[in-house]
Amino acid sequence: MRFDRRKDLLGLRDVEREEIEAVLETAVPMKDIITRDMKKVPTLKGKSIITVFYENSTRTRTSFDLAGRYLSADTPNLTVSTSSVQKGESLKDTIKTIEMMGPDVLVMRHSLSGAPHYVARNTSMRVINAGDGINEHPTQALLDMYSILERKGRLEGLKVVIVGDILHSRVARSNIFGLSKFGCELRVVGPSTLIPSDIEKLGVKAYANLEAGIRGADVINVLRIQKERQHGALFPSIDEYRELYMVKPEHLALAADDAIVLHPGPMNRGIEISTELAESSRCVVNEQVTNGVAVRMAILYLMLGGGRDEIAC
Ligand code: CP
């Protein structure tokens, strides 16, 4: 499958390596556009991209909005908290109502795993999953991969460790699906209660000890503790989590000399990552945000037909 021929982007589990490469390559000229003084190109003029987020977001929704605008698409947003969803309108009826207004792409976040898949099966609009429950967050993983590639010059063979709440993390799952297609050595670290029992079936090695998991790593991806998805006590206390799993500058001494640290945001500083590390030059969290716009521009450009032409400047 070619990325520019797919109707929807629902997850990286079923996306081929060549498709990921197409997105990462296309994001390079897109990043050039967003670092210019004049950021708009006419490529997607006449297209419309609607964002519908049933869960809160700062980075993903705003970067899709800006990505569309930089490519001259219209980017309306349905604010779910002030919409007729609050009057009890179903997901099916909400999506049909939006479809009848004619947007080309629906960018959707939902707390239920599989909600974008259900929508994609029932609409002619293209659907991009902006995070569904604990399932996948494919555009986050693609921007993480772009950020790693930009700093390290390659993905192939890197040792990547994901630290934290793996059980509730759609970011972890999409990173695992994406990076495993590039022959990365994948590890996860966290309390056993926050690591899925069958994680090793995905070709991932699980560690309970932070120091052991980080040893020799090229990339350390630190995840947010997702208090909103934890419905029971999955670790004794925040203090104990901080003591055992907060990633700090001294941990970098165990990793590769040029190891980098990622975090999808928003960060719980002082819980999963220390402020000192978050603000160090080894932490690429701010680059991830900028790259998120470039990668989402690339995705929209390829899915909306821009891939059949040169990028119109
Ligand atoms: N990383 C991420 O998805 O951030 P937002 O929740 O702010 O979109």
Side-chain angles (χ1 to χ4, degrees), residues 147-160:
S147 303
I148 296 168
L149 192 56
E150 197 174 56
R151 278 280 190 124
K152 312 289 284 184
R154 70 187 166 102
L155 293 173
E156 194 73 49
L158 291 179
K159 294 184 178 66
V160 180

PDB file of all heavy atoms in Angstrom, residues 147-160:
ATOM      1  N   SER A 147      11.521  12.898  14.959  1.00  0.00           N
ATOM      2  CA  SER A 147      12.414  13.592  15.889  1.00  0.00           C
ATOM      3  C   SER A 147      13.663  12.764  16.171  1.00  0.00           C
ATOM      4  O   SER A 147      14.771  13.305  16.290  1.00  0.00           O
ATOM      5  CB  SER A 147      11.665  13.899  17.203  1.00  0.00           C
ATOM      6  OG  SER A 147      10.511  14.659  16.939  1.00  0.00           O
ATOM      7  N   ILE A 148      13.485  11.448  16.264  1.00  0.00           N
ATOM      8  CA  ILE A 148      14.640  10.566  16.477  1.00  0.00           C
ATOM      9  C   ILE A 148      15.548  10.607  15.245  1.00  0.00           C
ATOM     10  O   ILE A 148      16.766  10.773  15.344  1.00  0.00           O
ATOM     11  CB  ILE A 148      14.173   9.107  16.747  1.00  0.00           C
ATOM     12  CG1 ILE A 148      13.371   9.031  18.056  1.00  0.00           C
ATOM     13  CG2 ILE A 148      15.366   8.168  16.796  1.00  0.00           C
ATOM     14  CD1 ILE A 148      12.633   7.694  18.257  1.00  0.00           C
ATOM     15  N   LEU A 149      14.929  10.489  14.069  1.00  0.00           N
ATOM     16  CA  LEU A 149      15.682  10.485  12.812  1.00  0.00           C
ATOM     17  C   LEU A 149      16.470  11.783  12.638  1.00  0.00           C
ATOM     18  O   LEU A 149      17.637  11.775  12.225  1.00  0.00           O
ATOM     19  CB  LEU A 149      14.688  10.303  11.667  1.00  0.00           C
ATOM     20  CG  LEU A 149      15.201   9.990  10.281  1.00  0.00           C
ATOM     21  CD1 LEU A 149      16.068   8.745  10.273  1.00  0.00           C
ATOM     22  CD2 LEU A 149      14.010   9.793   9.331  1.00  0.00           C
ATOM     23  N   GLU A 150      15.845  12.889  12.994  1.00  0.00           N
ATOM     24  CA  GLU A 150      16.490  14.197  12.835  1.00  0.00           C
ATOM     25  C   GLU A 150      17.737  14.295  13.714  1.00  0.00           C
ATOM     26  O   GLU A 150      18.763  14.821  13.304  1.00  0.00           O
ATOM     27  CB  GLU A 150      15.482  15.283  13.222  1.00  0.00           C
ATOM     28  CG  GLU A 150      15.843  16.663  12.740  1.00  0.00           C
ATOM     29  CD  GLU A 150      14.712  17.642  13.045  1.00  0.00           C
ATOM     30  OE1 GLU A 150      14.307  17.779  14.217  1.00  0.00           O
ATOM     31  OE2 GLU A 150      14.240  18.267  12.099  1.00  0.00           O
ATOM     32  N   ARG A 151      17.652  13.785  14.940  1.00  0.00           N
ATOM     33  CA  ARG A 151      18.786  13.876  15.870  1.00  0.00           C
ATOM     34  C   ARG A 151      19.834  12.792  15.632  1.00  0.00           C
ATOM     35  O   ARG A 151      21.019  13.025  15.761  1.00  0.00           O
ATOM     36  CB  ARG A 151      18.300  13.759  17.306  1.00  0.00           C
ATOM     37  CG  ARG A 151      17.755  15.038  17.901  1.00  0.00           C
ATOM     38  CD  ARG A 151      18.893  15.952  18.361  1.00  0.00           C
ATOM     39  NE  ARG A 151      18.381  17.057  19.126  1.00  0.00           N
ATOM     40  CZ  ARG A 151      18.767  17.355  20.374  1.00  0.00           C
ATOM     41  NH1 ARG A 151      19.680  16.630  20.981  1.00  0.00           N
ATOM     42  NH2 ARG A 151      18.232  18.375  20.991  1.00  0.00           N
ATOM     43  N   LYS A 152      19.361  11.570  15.320  1.00  0.00           N
ATOM     44  CA  LYS A 152      20.296  10.429  15.274  1.00  0.00           C
ATOM     45  C   LYS A 152      20.707  10.064  13.848  1.00  0.00           C
ATOM     46  O   LYS A 152      21.626   9.265  13.666  1.00  0.00           O
ATOM     47  CB  LYS A 152      19.665   9.184  15.919  1.00  0.00           C
ATOM     48  CG  LYS A 152      19.032   9.399  17.260  1.00  0.00           C
ATOM     49  CD  LYS A 152      20.003   9.651  18.368  1.00  0.00           C
ATOM     50  CE  LYS A 152      20.683   8.405  18.821  1.00  0.00           C
ATOM     51  NZ  LYS A 152      21.552   8.712  19.985  1.00  0.00           N
ATOM     52  N   GLY A 153      19.986  10.568  12.841  1.00  0.00           N
ATOM     53  CA  GLY A 153      20.345  10.281  11.458  1.00  0.00           C
ATOM     54  C   GLY A 153      19.886   8.928  10.953  1.00  0.00           C
ATOM     55  O   GLY A 153      20.106   8.577   9.793  1.00  0.00           O
ATOM     56  N   ARG A 154      19.278   8.130  11.813  1.00  0.00           N
ATOM     57  CA  ARG A 154      18.794   6.799  11.408  1.00  0.00           C
ATOM     58  C   ARG A 154      17.814   6.298  12.450  1.00  0.00           C
ATOM     59  O   ARG A 154      17.778   6.808  13.591  1.00  0.00           O
ATOM     60  CB  ARG A 154      19.954   5.799  11.296  1.00  0.00           C
ATOM     61  CG  ARG A 154      20.546   5.431  12.629  1.00  0.00           C
ATOM     62  CD  ARG A 154      21.801   4.582  12.528  1.00  0.00           C
ATOM     63  NE  ARG A 154      22.476   4.567  13.819  1.00  0.00           N
ATOM     64  CZ  ARG A 154      22.433   3.583  14.696  1.00  0.00           C
ATOM     65  NH1 ARG A 154      21.773   2.480  14.422  1.00  0.00           N
ATOM     66  NH2 ARG A 154      23.048   3.655  15.857  1.00  0.00           N
ATOM     67  N   LEU A 155      17.027   5.304  12.040  1.00  0.00           N
ATOM     68  CA  LEU A 155      16.171   4.587  12.992  1.00  0.00           C
ATOM     69  C   LEU A 155      16.657   3.145  13.150  1.00  0.00           C
ATOM     70  O   LEU A 155      16.598   2.567  14.227  1.00  0.00           O
ATOM     71  CB  LEU A 155      14.714   4.561  12.497  1.00  0.00           C
ATOM     72  CG  LEU A 155      13.975   5.904  12.453  1.00  0.00           C
ATOM     73  CD1 LEU A 155      12.615   5.749  11.773  1.00  0.00           C
ATOM     74  CD2 LEU A 155      13.788   6.459  13.859  1.00  0.00           C
ATOM     75  N   GLU A 156      17.158   2.616  12.039  1.00  0.00           N
ATOM     76  CA  GLU A 156      17.536   1.204  11.960  1.00  0.00           C
ATOM     77  C   GLU A 156      18.468   0.819  13.118  1.00  0.00           C
ATOM     78  O   GLU A 156      19.510   1.449  13.324  1.00  0.00           O
ATOM     79  CB  GLU A 156      18.243   0.978  10.613  1.00  0.00           C
ATOM     80  CG  GLU A 156      18.419  -0.459  10.212  1.00  0.00           C
ATOM     81  CD  GLU A 156      17.103  -1.102   9.788  1.00  0.00           C
ATOM     82  OE1 GLU A 156      16.386  -0.507   8.972  1.00  0.00           O
ATOM     83  OE2 GLU A 156      16.813  -2.207  10.296  1.00  0.00           O
ATOM     84  N   GLY A 157      18.059  -0.180  13.848  1.00  0.00           N
ATOM     85  CA  GLY A 157      18.940  -0.773  14.856  1.00  0.00           C
ATOM     86  C   GLY A 157      19.079  -0.002  16.162  1.00  0.00           C
ATOM     87  O   GLY A 157      19.834  -0.434  17.044  1.00  0.00           O
ATOM     88  N   LEU A 158      18.399   1.114  16.315  1.00  0.00           N
ATOM     89  CA  LEU A 158      18.551   1.880  17.560  1.00  0.00           C
ATOM     90  C   LEU A 158      17.934   1.127  18.736  1.00  0.00           C
ATOM     91  O   LEU A 158      16.961   0.391  18.580  1.00  0.00           O
ATOM     92  CB  LEU A 158      17.870   3.251  17.434  1.00  0.00           C
ATOM     93  CG  LEU A 158      18.504   4.261  16.476  1.00  0.00           C
ATOM     94  CD1 LEU A 158      17.674   5.546  16.454  1.00  0.00           C
ATOM     95  CD2 LEU A 158      19.953   4.563  16.859  1.00  0.00           C
ATOM     96  N   LYS A 159      18.520   1.359  19.911  1.00  0.00           N
ATOM     97  CA  LYS A 159      17.956   0.811  21.154  1.00  0.00           C
ATOM     98  C   LYS A 159      17.039   1.879  21.750  1.00  0.00           C
ATOM     99  O   LYS A 159      17.498   2.951  22.144  1.00  0.00           O
ATOM    100  CB  LYS A 159      19.064   0.486  22.150  1.00  0.00           C
ATOM    101  CG  LYS A 159      19.993  -0.621  21.730  1.00  0.00           C
ATOM    102  CD  LYS A 159      20.993  -0.913  22.848  1.00  0.00           C
ATOM    103  CE  LYS A 159      21.931  -2.052  22.507  1.00  0.00           C
ATOM    104  NZ  LYS A 159      22.837  -1.767  21.401  1.00  0.00           N
ATOM    105  N   VAL A 160      15.744   1.592  21.763  1.00  0.00           N
ATOM    106  CA  VAL A 160      14.749   2.571  22.229  1.00  0.00           C
ATOM    107  C   VAL A 160      14.056   2.012  23.466  1.00  0.00           C
ATOM    108  O   VAL A 160      13.526   0.892  23.428  1.00  0.00           O
ATOM    109  CB  VAL A 160      13.704   2.860  21.131  1.00  0.00           C
ATOM    110  CG1 VAL A 160      12.669   3.878  21.620  1.00  0.00           C
ATOM    111  CG2 VAL A 160      14.383   3.359  19.853  1.00  0.00           C
TER     112      VAL A 160
END
